[in-house]
Amino acid sequence: MADKLRIVGGRGRGAEHELREERVLVGSDPGCAVVLADDGVLGRHAVLERRNGTWTLRALDTGRPIAAAGRLVQEMRLEHGATFSLGEAELRFMTARALIDAQPLSGRSFKDPEKAVERLAHARARVAAQIGRVIVGQAEVLDQVLVALFARGHCILVGVPGLAKTLLVRTLAGTLDLDFRRVQFTPDLMPADVTGTDILEEDAATRRRGFRFARGPVFTNILLADEINRTPPKTQAALLEAMQERRVTASGHTHDLPQPFLVLATQNPIEQEGTYPLPEAQLDRFMFSIHVAYPSEEEEQRILRETTRDLRWEVDRVLDAASVIQCQHLVRQVPVSDHVALYAARLVRASRPGDPGAPEFVNQWVRWGAGPRAGQYLLLAAKAHVILAGRFSVGCEDVRTYALPVLRHRIFCNFAAASEGVSTDQIVTRLVEAVPEPTY
């Protein structure tokens, strides 16, 4: 099986070209191996060359560079999932290995849901096995990230440095046939550095000038927002529309993001100097706040042994974009009884001070409780959990399983709680114990 170029934007969308030669010409000339009929594409626009098993794309005209990740370059090294533009044509590079296991779950209507659930549970086990080749431990963190992925939610990973938060995200992206971008959030990062900006270009043939929107790194399937609290709120807010609406508005024009779209952010809870607290509106857009704990003694011993050797790990790709999207549709088709929905609603409402169902410790320690989005994410997390476990029915125990990652960043303590050393995790734990299941 050969490596491929797929046209993902412009004319001929969906067409694929196999790269069987060591040198492949790309352009509008019919003699090229990859022919693009889009505006702005020269007769011989670029050349693909394979050197020692690695593909390199090089522009043949210095006046017509390659657009990739919001930058204009003359040459770029192609990795699996790399997306770039030549003129108005947008292409994506795919390695042969990524296509071996990319078998989409057929049919969005799922005429045989039992078989679809069985295949999803099997795929989840394979993803976990591949990540386990690189990441030691952190099974609970991985479970929550996978649940968020299939529930169409975003995650923020909170943990001290050195706990493999970034490596976990990169490895997850490696097991999925999805595009992946990493943004290092810094104090000088601007919103346009994330979403993209309009650039002025001149047509070499007509000498006419015009603006073209150069897409930023947010136009991807998996976005790693590394140390998200190190950038000012102005730049943090650039992700608000993308995370909720899955689109970006720039210069009055709306651009849809690729699907699926998942934001995985990391945050260091210790070092607070030079950081900016995330606004409540952005925190609420994260489905889970996942606390990454220290490894056990046995796990740490294995980490030290494995990471101090000269080894290079590789992971197989298990799912592609079509499979993930259809799994997300499958999760939302899981039925939930009124009994379970009422329990989730009561659990969320009990976190709000002043509510008739709120326990006394909530009125004493909580300033603001969780909103309706928390209840939505509780049910979606429970649905994804049972599907990944190969089950169909959602129970109240499945809702309780994800109460902590869903509610811990949506409850804000008052001064009394801070003075007594009470954390939101303790409040959520007591809430789960205090709110009984509804009676039939």
Side-chain angles (χ1 to χ4, degrees):
M1 188 177 295
D3 298 337
K4 292 184 178 182
L5 273 184
R6 176 184 295 169
I7 301 176
V8 296
R11 298 180 184 178
R13 179 178 298 181
E16 294 183 350
H17 300 270
E18 292 190 352
L19 308 176
R20 297 191 176 277
E21 304 294 333
E22 298 294 321
R23 190 173 188 272
V24 178
L25 284 175
V26 183
S28 59
D29 193 310
C32 293
V34 179
V35 180
L36 304 174
D38 297 78
D39 295 336
V41 179
L42 300 178
R44 294 191 171 193
H45 199 117
V47 61
L48 276 162
E49 295 175 314
R50 180 161 53 188
R51 307 164 187 166
N52 300 323
T54 300
W55 284 99
T56 301
L57 178 66
R58 176 169 53 86
L60 296 177
D61 189 334
T62 57
R64 294 293 182 90
I66 304 161
R71 298 183 299 114
L72 297 178
V73 296
Q74 289 296 127
E75 185 174 315
M76 64 180 294
R77 181 174 176 268
L78 294 182
E79 297 181 350
H80 174 77
T83 303
F84 58 91
S85 297
L86 302 177
E88 295 186 0
E90 185 176 0
L91 301 99
R92 185 179 182 210
F93 173 75
M94 300 183 299
T95 61
R97 187 179 185 186
L99 302 175
I100 294 176
D101 294 323
Q103 300 176 357
L105 299 176
S106 59
R108 177 172 170 177
S109 59
F110 301 104
K111 297 179 181 179
D112 190 353
E114 292 186 5
K115 187 175 181 180
V117 169
E118 181 182 351
R119 290 189 60 188
L120 178 56
H122 179 63
R124 181 245 172 249
R126 293 177 62 194
V127 170
Q130 292 298 318
I131 295 179
R133 296 168 59 180
V134 180
I135 302 296
V136 178
Q138 307 294 0
E140 185 178 356
V141 174
L142 175 60
D143 285 339
Q144 293 177 3
V145 171
L146 290 177
V147 165
L149 171 66
F150 294 116
R152 296 186 67 193
H154 311 287
C155 296
I156 182 167
L157 305 176
V158 182
V160 299
L163 296 184
K165 300 185 295 296
T166 302
L167 181 61
L168 173 64
V169 178
R170 295 184 66 90
T171 309
L172 173 64
T175 63
L176 304 175
D177 188 16
L178 300 176
D179 194 16
F180 170 73
R181 296 285 186 275
R182 177 182 181 271
V183 178
Q184 182 65 52
F185 280 68
T186 56
D188 60 345
L189 194 72
M190 299 299 292
D193 297 329
V194 178
T195 60
T197 185
D198 288 318
I199 60 176
L200 183 63
E201 287 187 337
E202 181 180 284
D203 190 288
T206 64
R207 315 301 291 181
R208 295 179 60 182
R209 294 184 178 183
F211 285 97
R212 180 181 64 84
F213 180 69
R215 297 184 172 187
V218 74
F219 286 87
T220 185
N221 296 122
I222 298 180
L223 177 68
L224 171 57
D226 214 357
E227 295 188 282
I228 191 173
N229 60 328
R230 287 202 170 275
T231 197
K234 178 181 179 180
T235 305
Q236 292 176 7
L239 287 175
L240 291 178
E241 182 183 17
M243 294 175 66
Q244 182 62 28
E245 308 294 336
R246 286 172 166 77
R247 64 186 185 186
V248 168
T249 301
S251 301
H253 298 282
T254 299
H255 308 270
D256 292 329
L257 295 175
Q259 296 301 321
F261 176 67
L262 174 68
V263 175
L264 295 173
T266 65
Q267 182 175 326
N268 177 7
I270 298 178
E271 191 176 359
Q272 298 301 321
E273 187 173 340
T275 61
Y276 304 85
L278 269 66
E280 287 76 3
Q282 183 162 0
L283 279 174
D284 195 45
R285 280 165 169 76
F286 285 103
M287 179 178 184
F288 288 158
S289 175
I290 302 174
H291 285 189
V292 184
Y294 287 111
S296 64
E297 181 180 358
E298 180 182 354
E299 292 172 345
E300 191 157 2
Q301 179 188 9
R302 182 183 166 193
I303 291 171
L304 298 179
R305 186 175 65 249
E306 297 293 334
T307 58
T308 54
R309 293 193 294 168
D310 190 12
L311 293 178
R312 182 178 180 181
W313 290 278
E314 292 184 355
V315 293
D316 295 326
R317 295 184 175 91
V318 177
L319 292 174
D320 65 353
S323 297
V324 173
I325 291 173
Q326 294 189 17
C327 292
Q328 291 174 343
H329 290 305
L330 179 62
V331 166
R332 291 177 178 263
Q333 293 179 17
V334 175
V336 173
S337 65
D338 292 340
H339 176 78
V340 175
L342 179 59
Y343 175 71
R346 288 183 176 176
L347 191 61
V348 173
R349 294 180 64 85
S351 69
R352 303 168 188 165
D355 188 271
E360 181 58 34
F361 63 87
V362 170
N363 295 322
Q364 179 183 356
W365 290 328
V366 176
R367 180 163 53 96
W368 294 103
R373 191 178 282 146
Q376 295 172 341
Y377 282 146
L378 279 174
L379 289 187
L380 285 172
K383 287 183 176 186
H385 174 69
V386 299
I387 287 294
L388 290 173
R391 297 189 282 119
F392 290 93
S393 59
V394 178
C396 294
E397 65 277 5
D398 299 311
V399 174
R400 286 192 291 268
T401 300
Y402 295 95
L404 199 56
V406 169
L407 294 176
R408 63 164 44 120
H409 59 297
R410 292 183 165 88
I411 295 178
F412 301 93
C413 297
N414 55 23
F415 177 76
S419 62
E420 297 178 31
V422 177
S423 66
T424 55
D425 281 22
Q426 293 173 314
I427 293 176
V428 174
T429 302
R430 291 188 59 175
L431 265 179
V432 172
E433 297 172 351
V435 178
E437 295 185 15
T439 56
Y440 287 97

